[in-house]
Amino acid sequence: MSEQAGEAVPAAQKSSWTSFLKSLAGFTGDLSAMTAPPFILSPTSLTEFPAYWCERPELFAMIADGKNEQQRALAVLRWFISTLKGQYTSRNESMGSEKKPLNPVLGELFYGFWPETKERGGKTTLVVEQVSHHPPITAYRIANDAKGIVLTGHNAQKTSFSAGSIIVKQVGHAVLTISLPSGNQEEYLITLPRLRIDGLWYGSPYIELVETSYIQSSTGWLSTIEYKGKGYFSGTSHSFKATVTPPAHVSQSPHVIQGTWHTTSTDRQNGATFHDVTTPKEEVIVAPIAEQAEWESRRLWHGVAKGIREGDFESASKEKTRIENEQRQRRRDETAAGTKWELKHFEHIDNCPTYERLGKLFSANPPTEDAYVYLNNGPSV
């Protein structure tokens, strides 16, 4: 289904959608504070989004198989580009248009795994925790211990409305660490692209990635990824160009990768296909809802998700309001008692040393960022 195909707004909700658009146009500040109409909501919480980093777990595992620094840098880029389709077009394909994910409550959890296979070695595990509600911040850790590869990161959004589009600045970063058989480690700092949500006036929103993101390796290899979307008069949706530059001491031409991140791309150096996400993805395995704890996403939002999927927006709205009111009451109770919510799996630090050290190599902006350190206490899923 194309990005602008489908109709996000039911006929009975047209006036409500028009009112929502007028509210967007007149709103100042971060749009995440606004309440979206139920019919534009996704039945999925934002805590599930880190699973998209690994919906092709074989590419994640293959990073560790690179024979040298260049091969591993290219493997990291290939894996990263292959995550973008799931992160930013999956709701277009499954629901006809972009939907607003459910805003997680503080302390919400999501656990999952991808099983061991011969090709990718051991089991790949996922631990996600909502570490802040205002602003909404999600921390996550993905690991394949058998391959010695770990991804840790956090993500938040600052949203605004401009020229008929919603602009989303993604705040946060991820760090990928590879433990090599030699005993050495390589680190990769991954910054996040900005988003532009178009198609609002047609009632069929879709996401374009814009501007530039970076993947900086501790070995000196740098991937600079430029995103170009479809303009009003020209261009191809979801286009990108990635330039993989060697460190100064390596006399080698950069690799240039071009294509569309939701389908395929080509390595311009040799003409070979670089990435291909037109094949089926692999969903994360999650415990049945009946076996989940009360703070796990799919159990927590089960009633809301059921209402959205069945088109019963009234019951979805009531259940969503109940959860949000309980969240507000917890914060009031903590304030009255002089206590603070304790994180379960992550610890906040004001300055990420890896971000600062690797960010200097490409003049990252901002030059420093905070981070969430994993406490190595996730469940054995």
Side-chain angles (χ1 to χ4, degrees):
M1 184 175 292
S2 68
E3 289 82 358
Q4 297 185 53
E7 191 71 10
V9 185
Q13 306 288 349
K14 292 287 188 182
S15 61
S16 180
W17 178 248
T18 302
S19 298
F20 179 61
L21 290 179
K22 289 179 179 178
S23 299
L24 280 177
F27 193 85
T28 57
D30 189 348
L31 295 180
S32 63
M34 290 190 69
T35 299
F39 57 82
I40 199 63
L41 291 175
S42 163
T44 304
S45 169
L46 267 173
T47 57
E48 296 200 30
F49 275 48
Y52 294 128
W53 283 103
C54 206
E55 64 181 10
R56 298 179 188 275
E58 71 284 353
L59 293 181
F60 185 70
M62 284 171 58
I63 293 170
D65 297 335
K67 302 301 183 185
N68 54 47
E69 296 172 356
Q70 178 187 7
Q71 285 187 12
R72 290 188 291 271
L74 287 168
V76 172
L77 175 63
R78 180 178 295 109
W79 156 76
F80 174 77
I81 295 298
S82 298
T83 71
L84 300 177
K85 178 180 181 179
Q87 292 189 66
Y88 304 117
T89 70
S90 60
R91 291 160 304 285
N92 278 334
E93 294 182 345
S94 64
M95 306 185 75
S97 70
E98 179 57 30
K99 302 289 185 178
K100 183 183 184 299
L102 298 169
N103 193 5
V105 303
L106 179 61
E108 187 174 327
L109 303 165
F110 186 78
Y111 305 128
F113 72 96
W114 294 264
E116 175 182 357
T117 67
K118 181 179 179 181
E119 292 74 23
R120 59 178 180 251
K123 180 167 65 174
T124 304
T125 58
L126 169 67
V127 176
V128 186
E129 181 176 4
Q130 191 68 12
V131 292
S132 174
H133 185 67
H134 289 302
I137 303 174
T138 308
Y140 52 87
R141 187 219 192 223
I142 301 173
N144 183 326
D145 293 332
K147 288 286 190 175
I149 183 166
V150 177
L151 178 77
T152 306
H154 73 283
N155 191 16
Q157 297 84 28
K158 291 184 178 179
T159 55
S160 58
F161 188 75
S162 177
S165 300
I166 294 176
I167 309 300
V168 182
K169 177 185 178 182
Q170 298 204 90
V171 180
H173 63 274
V175 174
L176 181 79
T177 303
I178 310 170
S179 297
L180 301 171
S182 64
N184 296 327
Q185 280 193 339
E186 287 179 359
E187 293 176 304
Y188 293 81
L189 170 64
I190 302 168
T191 66
L192 307 173
R194 290 198 178 195
L195 318 178
R196 191 184 70 228
I197 302 176
D198 293 329
L200 297 172
W201 302 114
Y202 304 102
S204 189
Y206 65 96
I207 287 177
E208 281 289 8
L209 303 185
V210 295
E211 300 185 17
T212 306
S213 69
Y214 301 90
I215 304 175
Q216 176 67 64
S217 172
S218 57
T219 63
W221 287 85
L222 172 66
S223 294
T224 303
I225 310 158
E226 303 170 86
Y227 304 93
K228 301 290 184 182
K230 185 175 179 63
Y232 286 107
F233 304 107
S234 63
T236 302
S237 295
H238 308 336
S239 298
F240 80 95
K241 174 183 177 182
T243 304
V244 187
T245 309
H249 66 274
V250 176
S251 56
Q252 190 171 322
S253 300
H255 277 262
V256 176
I257 314 297
Q258 282 187 283
T260 52
W261 47 261
H262 70 309
T263 56
T264 62
S265 62
T266 303
D267 187 333
R268 300 294 296 273
Q269 192 175 76
N270 54 26
T273 297
F274 184 73
H275 97 291
D276 182 351
V277 289
T278 61
T279 56
K281 60 185 179 181
E282 184 175 343
E283 299 286 351
V284 64
I285 296 175
V286 179
I289 289 175
E291 298 176 15
Q292 293 184 15
E294 63 174 328
W295 288 95
E296 292 187 56
S297 293
R298 292 189 183 175
R299 177 173 172 182
L300 177 71
W301 295 104
H302 175 67
V304 179
K306 183 174 184 290
I308 291 172
R309 290 191 175 102
E310 295 177 354
D312 185 355
F313 301 121
E314 183 177 354
S315 67
S317 182
K318 286 181 179 178
E319 180 66 7
K320 181 172 178 286
T321 298
R322 180 190 66 78
I323 294 170
E324 291 169 343
N325 286 340
E326 288 180 357
Q327 165 87 355
R328 296 185 187 101
Q329 187 59 50
R330 286 190 192 95
R331 303 290 81 81
R332 287 193 290 266
D333 292 344
E334 289 168 358
T335 300
T339 59
K340 183 180 179 182
W341 180 265
E342 295 292 333
L343 300 183
K344 185 178 181 69
H345 297 303
F346 294 88
E347 179 183 2
H348 180 258
I349 57 174
D350 291 328
N351 183 49
C352 175
T354 304
Y355 179 94
E356 184 172 8
R357 173 167 44 86
L358 297 184
K360 287 178 180 178
L361 301 180
F362 64 96
S363 302
N365 183 27
T368 63
E369 272 196 354
D370 65 347
Y372 290 85
V373 179
Y374 181 62
L375 299 177
N376 293 306
N377 61 351
S380 55
V381 290

